[in-house]
Amino acid sequence: MKKTILLYLTCFLTGSLYANGYIKPPMNAHEYSVTHERASLPAAYDSRDEGIILPVRDQKIEGTCWAFAVTDALQALYHKNGFNTGYLSPQSFVTCFRGFDIPPVTKGGNEQMAGSMLARLEGIVEEEALPYNPYQTSCVSYEKKNTPMYTLGWYLLPKDDAIAIKKCIMEFGSVTASFRYETSCYDQATNTHEYKGEEGVNHGISLIGWDDSKNAWLAKNNWGSEKFDNGFLWISYNDDYITTECVAYTDYTPTESIDDVYHQNTVGMVGSFGIDEPGYLTDAIVRYDFENGDQLVALGTYATYPNTKICYNLISKDLTRILFTSDTITVPYKGFYKYTLPEPFHASDSLHIAVTYLNKDAEDGHIIPIEMDHDNYTTITLGKEPQWIAFDNEDWMPFGKDTEYPHNLCIYAYVRHGEISAIDMPTTSSIYNGREIVDSAWDNAQKIQLFDTNGKLIKTFTQQNGQFSDIPYGIYILSVEYKNGTCYGEKILYKPNK
């Protein structure tokens, strides 16, 4: 390839890392703009009016504000969509993150650190199951049953984009934000804060509304209800930092729909990778060795630019066959995006997942999201599975461990666990009698499906139609999904009647 390949990291950490609790991420993910269609937004809005904002709490110490802001935003999202989950605990976020060169609890964090956990199906736990303890510095485990929901999508909103922020507050209930809190900048008479200066952010909160007549955002803080107005305050539109790093959490995925995730990276997107010219079609591919019986139900990756087009391909172990191609998704903002497969894909062997990224407006051409080492921020572990990248369908280049590019791709595969029995190709089974699905197989079953050995869905049966008509001779996987969320599968040999 004649093009020069460049590693691109937009800025570096400077200044005081651990002031009050918010740490600025090294990648300037919010330094971009988008064009909005004409929007009709109210002059004032308050998510509390919808009954989705829980009373403020008290973080008690410096260093945990970011985790409270994230849990507040997630609570608002879940409650707005009818899931009254109650308080979520910040504890897991502040003590269980991995791969970051930051001590737990007192030294701060940011939404990227929370996002790295969310993508791995970690972090979200009910307060009752894991009560917040500011003096607990070690990670405490919890059971999946205490995770009310997964969140596998978020927008890294453009800097100072009031329209995007207001739209997201109305749609999702809240957004996280960071600013520089100084006592001297707070006007008690109006309960309003306005900082002007360049000292950098030091505190994380969530925004839950606005009022154009006050020229201010409504913020939820967590220094106790005695502070400000029951813990809520206004932050001026003219504050130098309040809209510079807002994040909107957009996805709520029931925990019973996903059992596990395969991923190479731990900390998520820290930088981006590409060539020094815009407009190139870029591909990233990773191999995962799935367990026997796994059903692939969703995929995930980051977008490093707005309006990026993303397409997924599932490729066979020997790299000779494309087994599935997704629709092309165009994403509105930078962020993390989940793609749900139309039907579960049986992945009982090694499988390659290829992601195509295309954005003709990316000025630097760096549109592959990567995990990488960064001084005083991250120390990564390179994935064991093979990784490759390619540009404009040219030769694939090795990526990751033992290559000249020691970074990880950010590609996630979400699965349901099932079992495939080790039966030696029978024509009958406990759920199939050689002609049709047996009646007893429907006991507590939600659906029964037939897949080929590459994981492609062939047929979905109903209790009224369990016949194998029009199915050709061959080996198949017969899968039962039960109402309690568990799965069971058997490998069968189907022989049509002559």
Side-chain angles (χ1 to χ4, degrees):
M1 174 174 289
K2 297 179 180 180
K3 302 293 187 296
T4 303
I5 299 174
L6 299 175
L7 180 66
Y8 182 59
L9 191 62
T10 52
C11 77
F12 297 90
L13 292 172
T14 58
S16 176
L17 286 177
Y18 302 133
N20 290 22
Y22 187 87
I23 298 174
K24 184 178 176 62
M27 188 177 184
N28 268 342
H30 303 271
E31 291 283 354
Y32 71 101
S33 61
V34 298
T35 301
H36 295 284
E37 296 181 0
R38 189 177 185 88
S40 177
L41 295 166
Y45 182 82
D46 187 341
S47 286
R48 294 177 297 183
D49 295 339
E50 296 188 42
I52 63 173
I53 304 299
L54 299 179
V56 301
R57 293 179 281 184
D58 189 350
Q59 68 184 65
K60 299 185 185 297
I61 60 171
E62 290 184 353
T64 61
C65 57
W66 63 279
F68 277 88
V70 171
T71 52
D72 281 345
L74 295 173
Q75 286 165 185
L77 171 68
Y78 299 164
H79 282 245
K80 188 173 181 67
N81 288 279
F83 303 100
N84 297 322
T85 54
Y87 281 112
L88 300 175
S89 175
Q91 192 68 38
S92 181
F93 285 120
V94 299
T95 58
C96 296
F97 57 81
R98 292 181 276 131
F100 292 91
D101 300 336
I102 299 165
V105 185
T106 60
K107 299 306 181 183
N110 53 51
E111 293 87 349
Q112 181 189 29
M113 294 165 65
S116 73
M117 298 181 66
L118 295 175
R120 301 194 310 262
L121 308 180
E122 300 173 7
I124 302 175
V125 57
E126 296 163 335
E127 174 72 21
E128 291 183 358
L130 186 61
Y132 173 66
N133 179 355
Y135 309 108
Q136 174 72 41
T137 58
S138 60
C139 180
V140 178
S141 62
Y142 55 90
E143 297 182 40
K144 178 182 175 179
K145 67 179 182 181
N146 298 126
T147 295
M149 203 73 60
Y150 294 134
T151 286
L152 300 173
W154 52 90
Y155 298 155
L156 304 172
L157 295 175
K159 179 181 178 180
D160 296 332
D161 191 330
I163 292 177
I165 294 169
K166 288 179 177 180
K167 284 182 175 180
C168 286
I169 292 174
M170 292 186 69
E171 184 174 358
F172 307 116
S174 176
V175 303
T176 62
S178 60
F179 71 120
R180 183 169 191 86
Y181 181 81
E182 297 286 352
T183 303
S184 60
C185 298
Y186 174 68
D187 183 353
Q188 188 171 3
T190 61
N191 189 33
T192 303
H193 184 277
E194 181 179 329
Y195 173 83
K196 307 296 289 184
E198 299 179 354
E199 294 178 85
V201 297
N202 64 3
H203 188 50
I205 45 84
S206 60
L207 301 181
I208 62 169
W210 68 87
D211 190 330
D212 290 344
S213 68
K214 297 179 183 291
N215 205 40
W217 300 99
L218 179 59
K220 180 183 180 183
N221 195 47
N222 283 288
W223 290 345
S225 59
E226 297 80 13
K227 187 74 172 176
F228 309 123
D229 180 8
N230 291 316
F232 298 88
L233 74 155
W234 296 95
I235 302 179
S236 170
Y237 287 165
N238 297 319
D239 186 282
D240 277 350
Y241 288 113
I242 189 58
T243 55
T244 58
E245 295 183 6
C246 291
V247 177
Y249 295 94
T250 62
D251 172 77
Y252 48 95
T253 297
T255 55
E256 61 269 19
S257 66
I258 294 175
D259 292 327
D260 207 350
V261 57
Y262 290 81
H263 58 94
Q264 293 276 48
N265 67 96
T266 300
V267 304
M269 180 177 68
V270 179
S272 56
F273 195 90
I275 56 179
D276 54 355
E277 294 181 24
Y280 281 85
L281 191 72
T282 64
D283 295 280
I285 187 168
V286 62
R287 190 189 79 195
Y288 291 128
D289 296 325
F290 293 95
E291 295 181 4
N292 190 32
D294 279 344
Q295 294 186 28
L296 185 60
V297 295
L299 301 163
T301 193
Y302 290 85
T304 65
Y305 275 88
N307 301 315
T308 295
K309 298 181 185 298
I310 298 174
C311 178
Y312 292 95
N313 283 284
L314 303 181
I315 304 174
S316 62
K317 180 179 180 179
D318 60 5
L319 291 171
T320 62
R321 292 167 295 152
I322 295 177
L323 308 175
F324 170 82
T325 300
S326 75
D327 296 332
T328 298
I329 311 148
T330 302
V331 303
Y333 300 108
K334 293 184 181 181
F336 185 86
Y337 293 87
K338 177 190 73 174
Y339 171 77
T340 301
L341 274 70
E343 295 287 348
F345 187 96
H346 270 280
S348 56
D349 199 352
S350 297
L351 189 68
H352 294 86
I353 300 174
V355 186
T356 299
Y357 306 89
L358 177 63
N359 192 314
K360 294 182 179 180
D361 298 323
E363 295 179 359
D364 50 37
H366 304 152
I367 60 175
I368 298 178
I370 62 167
E371 177 192 57
M372 58 177 288
D373 286 337
H374 189 272
D375 290 344
N376 301 320
Y377 190 68
T378 53
T379 301
I380 70 168
T381 301
L382 291 174
K384 297 178 181 179
E385 305 297 341
Q387 305 176 76
W388 299 270
I389 57 172
F391 299 95
D392 266 10
N393 296 315
E394 294 191 24
D395 292 341
W396 289 94
M397 297 179 294
F399 197 81
K401 189 175 183 179
D402 299 326
T403 75
E404 61 181 301
Y405 311 116
H407 320 296
N408 285 325
L409 299 172
C410 297
I411 301 172
Y412 299 78
Y414 299 96
V415 300
R416 294 282 309 280
H417 289 318
E419 293 183 4
I420 302 297
S421 63
I423 300 173
D424 188 19
M425 306 309 161
T427 55
T428 62
S429 74
S430 62
I431 53 180
Y432 166 67
N433 64 13
R435 299 181 308 278
E436 60 187 1
I437 306 296
V438 300
D439 290 342
S440 61
W442 291 100
D443 294 344
N444 298 313
Q446 184 165 288
K447 61 182 175 182
I448 299 179
Q449 295 178 308
L450 188 72
F451 297 82
D452 68 16
T453 54
N454 289 322
K456 181 181 179 182
L457 178 66
I458 303 299
K459 184 173 183 177
T460 298
F461 297 100
T462 65
Q463 194 160 2
Q464 292 73 34
N465 180 15
Q467 299 288 333
F468 276 64
S469 57
D470 301 324
I471 304 296
Y473 178 93
I475 298 170
Y476 297 92
I477 296 170
L478 195 56
S479 173
V480 184
E481 180 177 329
Y482 295 101
K483 294 176 182 177
N484 64 3
T486 60
C487 297
Y488 173 74
E490 290 187 345
K491 191 176 287 185
I492 66 168
L493 174 64
Y494 175 63
K495 295 181 178 179
N497 293 328
K498 295 182 179 180

mmCIF file of all heavy atoms in Angstrom, residues 256-294:
data_model
loop_
_atom_site.group_PDB
_atom_site.id
_atom_site.type_symbol
_atom_site.label_atom_id
_atom_site.label_comp_id
_atom_site.label_asym_id
_atom_site.label_seq_id
_atom_site.Cartn_x
_atom_site.Cartn_y
_atom_site.Cartn_z
ATOM 1 N N GLU A 256 -32.070 -10.487 30.080
ATOM 2 C CA GLU A 256 -32.345 -11.863 29.685
ATOM 3 C C GLU A 256 -32.084 -12.112 28.202
ATOM 4 O O GLU A 256 -32.060 -13.268 27.754
ATOM 5 C CB GLU A 256 -33.786 -12.249 30.016
ATOM 6 C CG GLU A 256 -34.856 -11.422 29.330
ATOM 7 C CD GLU A 256 -35.286 -10.219 30.145
ATOM 8 O OE1 GLU A 256 -34.532 -9.801 31.055
ATOM 9 O OE2 GLU A 256 -36.386 -9.685 29.878
ATOM 10 N N SER A 257 -31.860 -11.061 27.427
ATOM 11 C CA SER A 257 -31.632 -11.241 25.988
ATOM 12 C C SER A 257 -30.164 -11.466 25.647
ATOM 13 O O SER A 257 -29.838 -11.824 24.516
ATOM 14 C CB SER A 257 -32.153 -10.026 25.213
ATOM 15 O OG SER A 257 -31.395 -8.865 25.527
ATOM 16 N N ILE A 258 -29.252 -11.250 26.597
ATOM 17 C CA ILE A 258 -27.821 -11.417 26.366
ATOM 18 C C ILE A 258 -27.205 -12.096 27.581
ATOM 19 O O ILE A 258 -27.487 -11.718 28.721
ATOM 20 C CB ILE A 258 -27.121 -10.060 26.121
ATOM 21 C CG1 ILE A 258 -27.605 -9.433 24.803
ATOM 22 C CG2 ILE A 258 -25.604 -10.212 26.097
ATOM 23 C CD1 ILE A 258 -27.053 -8.050 24.553
ATOM 24 N N ASP A 259 -26.357 -13.085 27.331
ATOM 25 C CA ASP A 259 -25.672 -13.781 28.420
ATOM 26 C C ASP A 259 -24.207 -13.399 28.562
ATOM 27 O O ASP A 259 -23.658 -13.439 29.660
ATOM 28 C CB ASP A 259 -25.749 -15.302 28.207
ATOM 29 C CG ASP A 259 -27.152 -15.853 28.360
ATOM 30 O OD1 ASP A 259 -27.913 -15.301 29.176
ATOM 31 O OD2 ASP A 259 -27.493 -16.808 27.639
ATOM 32 N N ASP A 260 -23.554 -13.028 27.454
ATOM 33 C CA ASP A 260 -22.112 -12.819 27.536
ATOM 34 C C ASP A 260 -21.658 -11.976 26.347
ATOM 35 O O ASP A 260 -22.427 -11.750 25.393
ATOM 36 C CB ASP A 260 -21.391 -14.172 27.531
ATOM 37 C CG ASP A 260 -20.041 -14.131 28.231
ATOM 38 O OD1 ASP A 260 -19.564 -13.027 28.551
ATOM 39 O OD2 ASP A 260 -19.457 -15.214 28.439
ATOM 40 N N VAL A 261 -20.402 -11.548 26.398
ATOM 41 C CA VAL A 261 -19.843 -10.748 25.310
ATOM 42 C C VAL A 261 -18.421 -11.218 25.030
ATOM 43 O O VAL A 261 -17.654 -11.525 25.943
ATOM 44 C CB VAL A 261 -19.864 -9.241 25.659
ATOM 45 C CG1 VAL A 261 -19.117 -8.956 26.955
ATOM 46 C CG2 VAL A 261 -19.278 -8.417 24.515
ATOM 47 N N TYR A 262 -18.074 -11.300 23.740
ATOM 48 C CA TYR A 262 -16.711 -11.556 23.303
ATOM 49 C C TYR A 262 -16.111 -10.222 22.865
ATOM 50 O O TYR A 262 -16.740 -9.460 22.115
ATOM 51 C CB TYR A 262 -16.694 -12.540 22.138
ATOM 52 C CG TYR A 262 -17.066 -13.958 22.518
ATOM 53 C CD1 TYR A 262 -18.403 -14.334 22.649
ATOM 54 C CD2 TYR A 262 -16.085 -14.913 22.743
ATOM 55 C CE1 TYR A 262 -18.747 -15.632 23.000
ATOM 56 C CE2 TYR A 262 -16.420 -16.222 23.090
ATOM 57 C CZ TYR A 262 -17.757 -16.570 23.216
ATOM 58 O OH TYR A 262 -18.096 -17.856 23.565
ATOM 59 N N HIS A 263 -14.897 -9.942 23.324
ATOM 60 C CA HIS A 263 -14.255 -8.682 22.952
ATOM 61 C C HIS A 263 -12.751 -8.827 23.120
ATOM 62 O O HIS A 263 -12.267 -9.598 23.953
ATOM 63 C CB HIS A 263 -14.772 -7.522 23.811
ATOM 64 C CG HIS A 263 -14.566 -7.730 25.287
ATOM 65 N ND1 HIS A 263 -13.475 -7.254 25.968
ATOM 66 C CD2 HIS A 263 -15.327 -8.382 26.213
ATOM 67 C CE1 HIS A 263 -13.562 -7.598 27.244
ATOM 68 N NE2 HIS A 263 -14.672 -8.289 27.419
ATOM 69 N N GLN A 264 -11.987 -8.080 22.346
ATOM 70 C CA GLN A 264 -10.535 -8.064 22.451
ATOM 71 C C GLN A 264 -10.069 -6.985 23.413
ATOM 72 O O GLN A 264 -9.019 -7.092 24.034
ATOM 73 C CB GLN A 264 -9.899 -7.807 21.077
ATOM 74 C CG GLN A 264 -10.100 -8.924 20.074
ATOM 75 C CD GLN A 264 -9.065 -10.025 20.232
ATOM 76 O OE1 GLN A 264 -8.813 -10.488 21.328
ATOM 77 N NE2 GLN A 264 -8.461 -10.438 19.132
ATOM 78 N N ASN A 265 -10.812 -5.887 23.490
ATOM 79 C CA ASN A 265 -10.362 -4.720 24.232
ATOM 80 C C ASN A 265 -11.020 -4.632 25.597
ATOM 81 O O ASN A 265 -12.073 -5.224 25.833
ATOM 82 C CB ASN A 265 -10.623 -3.451 23.431
ATOM 83 C CG ASN A 265 -12.104 -3.178 23.273
ATOM 84 O OD1 ASN A 265 -12.687 -2.412 24.035
ATOM 85 N ND2 ASN A 265 -12.743 -3.821 22.300
ATOM 86 N N THR A 266 -10.403 -3.868 26.476
ATOM 87 C CA THR A 266 -10.922 -3.682 27.833
ATOM 88 C C THR A 266 -11.395 -2.261 28.075
ATOM 89 O O THR A 266 -12.459 -2.044 28.648
ATOM 90 C CB THR A 266 -9.841 -4.040 28.874
ATOM 91 O OG1 THR A 266 -9.462 -5.407 28.705
ATOM 92 C CG2 THR A 266 -10.360 -3.843 30.294
ATOM 93 N N VAL A 267 -10.616 -1.274 27.636
ATOM 94 C CA VAL A 267 -10.940 0.120 27.965
ATOM 95 C C VAL A 267 -11.765 0.814 26.880
ATOM 96 O O VAL A 267 -12.190 1.954 27.061
ATOM 97 C CB VAL A 267 -9.664 0.937 28.246
ATOM 98 C CG1 VAL A 267 -8.855 0.278 29.346
ATOM 99 C CG2 VAL A 267 -8.820 1.124 26.998
ATOM 100 N N GLY A 268 -12.002 0.165 25.763
ATOM 101 C CA GLY A 268 -12.795 0.797 24.712
ATOM 102 C C GLY A 268 -11.969 1.767 23.882
ATOM 103 O O GLY A 268 -10.732 1.770 23.899
ATOM 104 N N MET A 269 -12.654 2.613 23.150
ATOM 105 C CA MET A 269 -11.990 3.513 22.209
ATOM 106 C C MET A 269 -11.170 4.578 22.941
ATOM 107 O O MET A 269 -11.700 5.364 23.716
ATOM 108 C CB MET A 269 -13.032 4.187 21.315
ATOM 109 C CG MET A 269 -12.441 5.143 20.292
ATOM 110 S SD MET A 269 -13.686 5.860 19.185
ATOM 111 C CE MET A 269 -14.611 6.900 20.324
ATOM 112 N N VAL A 270 -9.870 4.582 22.679
ATOM 113 C CA VAL A 270 -8.970 5.606 23.204
ATOM 114 C C VAL A 270 -8.410 6.457 22.059
ATOM 115 O O VAL A 270 -8.097 7.627 22.229
ATOM 116 C CB VAL A 270 -7.819 4.972 24.010
ATOM 117 C CG1 VAL A 270 -6.862 6.043 24.533
ATOM 118 C CG2 VAL A 270 -8.376 4.161 25.160
ATOM 119 N N GLY A 271 -8.293 5.868 20.893
ATOM 120 C CA GLY A 271 -7.807 6.574 19.718
ATOM 121 C C GLY A 271 -8.472 6.057 18.466
ATOM 122 O O GLY A 271 -9.413 5.252 18.520
ATOM 123 N N SER A 272 -7.995 6.511 17.323
ATOM 124 C CA SER A 272 -8.528 6.054 16.037
ATOM 125 C C SER A 272 -7.371 5.793 15.088
ATOM 126 O O SER A 272 -6.264 6.316 15.256
ATOM 127 C CB SER A 272 -9.495 7.083 15.445
ATOM 128 O OG SER A 272 -8.874 8.347 15.324
ATOM 129 N N PHE A 273 -7.642 4.987 14.073
ATOM 130 C CA PHE A 273 -6.578 4.510 13.190
ATOM 131 C C PHE A 273 -7.041 4.656 11.746
ATOM 132 O O PHE A 273 -8.221 4.458 11.434
ATOM 133 C CB PHE A 273 -6.284 3.045 13.496
ATOM 134 C CG PHE A 273 -5.005 2.534 12.924
ATOM 135 C CD1 PHE A 273 -3.825 2.622 13.639
ATOM 136 C CD2 PHE A 273 -4.965 1.957 11.669
ATOM 137 C CE1 PHE A 273 -2.626 2.134 13.128
ATOM 138 C CE2 PHE A 273 -3.778 1.465 11.138
ATOM 139 C CZ PHE A 273 -2.603 1.558 11.871
ATOM 140 N N GLY A 274 -6.097 4.993 10.874
ATOM 141 C CA GLY A 274 -6.467 5.102 9.475
ATOM 142 C C GLY A 274 -5.316 5.592 8.628
ATOM 143 O O GLY A 274 -4.159 5.519 9.016
ATOM 144 N N ILE A 275 -5.647 6.096 7.463
ATOM 145 C CA ILE A 275 -4.643 6.651 6.562
ATOM 146 C C ILE A 275 -4.838 8.157 6.493
ATOM 147 O O ILE A 275 -5.803 8.703 7.004
ATOM 148 C CB ILE A 275 -4.741 6.012 5.163
ATOM 149 C CG1 ILE A 275 -6.156 6.177 4.589
ATOM 150 C CG2 ILE A 275 -4.395 4.541 5.233
ATOM 151 C CD1 ILE A 275 -6.309 5.599 3.214
ATOM 152 N N ASP A 276 -3.904 8.829 5.843
ATOM 153 C CA ASP A 276 -3.858 10.286 5.924
ATOM 154 C C ASP A 276 -4.710 10.980 4.864
ATOM 155 O O ASP A 276 -4.463 12.135 4.539
ATOM 156 C CB ASP A 276 -2.403 10.770 5.839
ATOM 157 C CG ASP A 276 -1.683 10.238 4.607
ATOM 158 O OD1 ASP A 276 -2.286 9.421 3.885
ATOM 159 O OD2 ASP A 276 -0.531 10.634 4.370
ATOM 160 N N GLU A 277 -5.697 10.287 4.332
ATOM 161 C CA GLU A 277 -6.588 10.900 3.364
ATOM 162 C C GLU A 277 -8.018 10.485 3.657
ATOM 163 O O GLU A 277 -8.259 9.363 4.107
ATOM 164 C CB GLU A 277 -6.206 10.479 1.937
ATOM 165 C CG GLU A 277 -4.849 10.990 1.478
ATOM 166 C CD GLU A 277 -4.545 10.568 0.050
ATOM 167 O OE1 GLU A 277 -5.501 10.306 -0.706
ATOM 168 O OE2 GLU A 277 -3.357 10.480 -0.299
ATOM 169 N N PRO A 278 -9.003 11.348 3.409
ATOM 170 C CA PRO A 278 -10.392 11.000 3.688
ATOM 171 C C PRO A 278 -11.005 10.141 2.589
ATOM 172 O O PRO A 278 -10.464 10.028 1.484
ATOM 173 C CB PRO A 278 -11.081 12.372 3.732
ATOM 174 C CG PRO A 278 -10.277 13.216 2.794
ATOM 175 C CD PRO A 278 -8.853 12.732 2.941
ATOM 176 N N GLY A 279 -12.132 9.528 2.909
ATOM 177 C CA GLY A 279 -12.953 8.881 1.901
ATOM 178 C C GLY A 279 -12.668 7.434 1.630
ATOM 179 O O GLY A 279 -13.305 6.835 0.756
ATOM 180 N N TYR A 280 -11.724 6.835 2.346
ATOM 181 C CA TYR A 280 -11.391 5.446 2.082
ATOM 182 C C TYR A 280 -12.321 4.490 2.824
ATOM 183 O O TYR A 280 -12.696 4.720 3.976
ATOM 184 C CB TYR A 280 -9.943 5.148 2.449
ATOM 185 C CG TYR A 280 -8.962 5.631 1.405
ATOM 186 C CD1 TYR A 280 -8.499 6.938 1.419
ATOM 187 C CD2 TYR A 280 -8.540 4.781 0.389
ATOM 188 C CE1 TYR A 280 -7.617 7.389 0.452
ATOM 189 C CE2 TYR A 280 -7.659 5.223 -0.584
ATOM 190 C CZ TYR A 280 -7.202 6.519 -0.556
ATOM 191 O OH TYR A 280 -6.336 6.965 -1.519
ATOM 192 N N LEU A 281 -12.672 3.416 2.128
ATOM 193 C CA LEU A 281 -13.415 2.332 2.754
ATOM 194 C C LEU A 281 -12.444 1.573 3.649
ATOM 195 O O LEU A 281 -11.397 1.115 3.197
ATOM 196 C CB LEU A 281 -13.969 1.402 1.679
ATOM 197 C CG LEU A 281 -14.981 0.350 2.092
ATOM 198 C CD1 LEU A 281 -16.319 0.994 2.413
ATOM 199 C CD2 LEU A 281 -15.149 -0.670 0.981
ATOM 200 N N THR A 282 -12.756 1.458 4.931
ATOM 201 C CA THR A 282 -11.848 0.786 5.856
ATOM 202 C C THR A 282 -12.538 -0.414 6.476
ATOM 203 O O THR A 282 -13.733 -0.391 6.745
ATOM 204 C CB THR A 282 -11.372 1.745 6.969
ATOM 205 O OG1 THR A 282 -12.490 2.140 7.754
ATOM 206 C CG2 THR A 282 -10.728 2.973 6.381
ATOM 207 N N ASP A 283 -11.759 -1.453 6.691
ATOM 208 C CA ASP A 283 -12.302 -2.693 7.241
ATOM 209 C C ASP A 283 -11.457 -3.138 8.425
ATOM 210 O O ASP A 283 -10.231 -3.005 8.422
ATOM 211 C CB ASP A 283 -12.298 -3.801 6.187
ATOM 212 C CG ASP A 283 -13.229 -3.502 5.033
ATOM 213 O OD1 ASP A 283 -14.433 -3.722 5.188
ATOM 214 O OD2 ASP A 283 -12.737 -3.044 3.982
ATOM 215 N N ALA A 284 -12.133 -3.692 9.412
ATOM 216 C CA ALA A 284 -11.471 -4.277 10.566
ATOM 217 C C ALA A 284 -12.084 -5.650 10.796
ATOM 218 O O ALA A 284 -13.303 -5.821 10.670
ATOM 219 C CB ALA A 284 -11.648 -3.395 11.795
ATOM 220 N N ILE A 285 -11.247 -6.622 11.118
ATOM 221 C CA ILE A 285 -11.763 -7.979 11.282
ATOM 222 C C ILE A 285 -11.085 -8.634 12.485
ATOM 223 O O ILE A 285 -9.897 -8.417 12.742
ATOM 224 C CB ILE A 285 -11.525 -8.816 10.001
ATOM 225 C CG1 ILE A 285 -12.205 -10.180 10.108
ATOM 226 C CG2 ILE A 285 -10.056 -8.971 9.701
ATOM 227 C CD1 ILE A 285 -12.246 -10.931 8.777
ATOM 228 N N VAL A 286 -11.868 -9.378 13.236
ATOM 229 C CA VAL A 286 -11.361 -10.084 14.397
ATOM 230 C C VAL A 286 -11.980 -11.475 14.423
ATOM 231 O O VAL A 286 -13.115 -11.667 13.950
ATOM 232 C CB VAL A 286 -11.681 -9.318 15.698
ATOM 233 C CG1 VAL A 286 -13.173 -9.189 15.918
ATOM 234 C CG2 VAL A 286 -11.014 -9.969 16.897
ATOM 235 N N ARG A 287 -11.224 -12.450 14.936
ATOM 236 C CA ARG A 287 -11.758 -13.805 15.062
ATOM 237 C C ARG A 287 -12.068 -14.089 16.523
ATOM 238 O O ARG A 287 -11.261 -13.782 17.405
ATOM 239 C CB ARG A 287 -10.750 -14.841 14.570
ATOM 240 C CG ARG A 287 -11.349 -16.257 14.449
ATOM 241 C CD ARG A 287 -10.284 -17.300 14.174
ATOM 242 N NE ARG A 287 -9.564 -17.650 15.402
ATOM 243 C CZ ARG A 287 -8.407 -18.309 15.413
ATOM 244 N NH1 ARG A 287 -7.832 -18.647 14.272
ATOM 245 N NH2 ARG A 287 -7.806 -18.596 16.557
ATOM 246 N N TYR A 288 -13.243 -14.691 16.770
ATOM 247 C CA TYR A 288 -13.594 -15.142 18.108
ATOM 248 C C TYR A 288 -13.873 -16.639 18.062
ATOM 249 O O TYR A 288 -14.497 -17.140 17.120
ATOM 250 C CB TYR A 288 -14.825 -14.407 18.627
ATOM 251 C CG TYR A 288 -14.573 -12.944 18.916
ATOM 252 C CD1 TYR A 288 -15.400 -11.952 18.384
ATOM 253 C CD2 TYR A 288 -13.519 -12.556 19.723
ATOM 254 C CE1 TYR A 288 -15.178 -10.613 18.656
ATOM 255 C CE2 TYR A 288 -13.281 -11.219 19.989
ATOM 256 C CZ TYR A 288 -14.110 -10.252 19.457
ATOM 257 O OH TYR A 288 -13.871 -8.931 19.722
ATOM 258 N N ASP A 289 -13.412 -17.337 19.073
ATOM 259 C CA ASP A 289 -13.662 -18.774 19.193
ATOM 260 C C ASP A 289 -14.848 -18.966 20.129
ATOM 261 O O ASP A 289 -14.698 -18.936 21.359
ATOM 262 C CB ASP A 289 -12.423 -19.491 19.734
ATOM 263 C CG ASP A 289 -11.248 -19.389 18.776
ATOM 264 O OD1 ASP A 289 -11.481 -19.398 17.553
ATOM 265 O OD2 ASP A 289 -10.101 -19.299 19.253
ATOM 266 N N PHE A 290 -16.008 -19.142 19.540
ATOM 267 C CA PHE A 290 -17.238 -19.237 20.317
ATOM 268 C C PHE A 290 -17.370 -20.608 20.967
ATOM 269 O O PHE A 290 -16.826 -21.608 20.489
ATOM 270 C CB PHE A 290 -18.449 -18.953 19.428
ATOM 271 C CG PHE A 290 -18.512 -17.534 18.948
ATOM 272 C CD1 PHE A 290 -18.001 -17.180 17.702
ATOM 273 C CD2 PHE A 290 -19.066 -16.549 19.736
ATOM 274 C CE1 PHE A 290 -18.051 -15.874 17.254
ATOM 275 C CE2 PHE A 290 -19.124 -15.236 19.303
ATOM 276 C CZ PHE A 290 -18.611 -14.900 18.056
ATOM 277 N N GLU A 291 -18.123 -20.634 22.053
ATOM 278 C CA GLU A 291 -18.373 -21.887 22.742
ATOM 279 C C GLU A 291 -19.486 -22.660 22.050
ATOM 280 O O GLU A 291 -20.345 -22.083 21.368
ATOM 281 C CB GLU A 291 -18.766 -21.614 24.202
ATOM 282 C CG GLU A 291 -17.655 -20.989 25.034
ATOM 283 C CD GLU A 291 -18.088 -20.762 26.460
ATOM 284 O OE1 GLU A 291 -19.215 -21.165 26.822
ATOM 285 O OE2 GLU A 291 -17.299 -20.178 27.236
ATOM 286 N N ASN A 292 -19.481 -23.952 22.251
ATOM 287 C CA ASN A 292 -20.502 -24.806 21.673
ATOM 288 C C ASN A 292 -21.893 -24.362 22.124
ATOM 289 O O ASN A 292 -22.170 -24.279 23.310
ATOM 290 C CB ASN A 292 -20.258 -26.254 22.103
ATOM 291 C CG ASN A 292 -21.133 -27.222 21.351
ATOM 292 O OD1 ASN A 292 -21.456 -26.990 20.194
ATOM 293 N ND2 ASN A 292 -21.506 -28.308 21.993
ATOM 294 N N GLY A 293 -22.757 -24.042 21.182
ATOM 295 C CA GLY A 293 -24.117 -23.663 21.504
ATOM 296 C C GLY A 293 -24.364 -22.170 21.572
ATOM 297 O O GLY A 293 -25.500 -21.739 21.775
ATOM 298 N N ASP A 294 -23.317 -21.326 21.433
ATOM 299 C CA ASP A 294 -23.518 -19.878 21.491
ATOM 300 C C ASP A 294 -24.406 -19.402 20.348
ATOM 301 O O ASP A 294 -24.263 -19.838 19.204
ATOM 302 C CB ASP A 294 -22.181 -19.137 21.406
ATOM 303 C CG ASP A 294 -21.465 -19.077 22.740
ATOM 304 O OD1 ASP A 294 -22.116 -19.320 23.760
ATOM 305 O OD2 ASP A 294 -20.256 -18.778 22.749
#
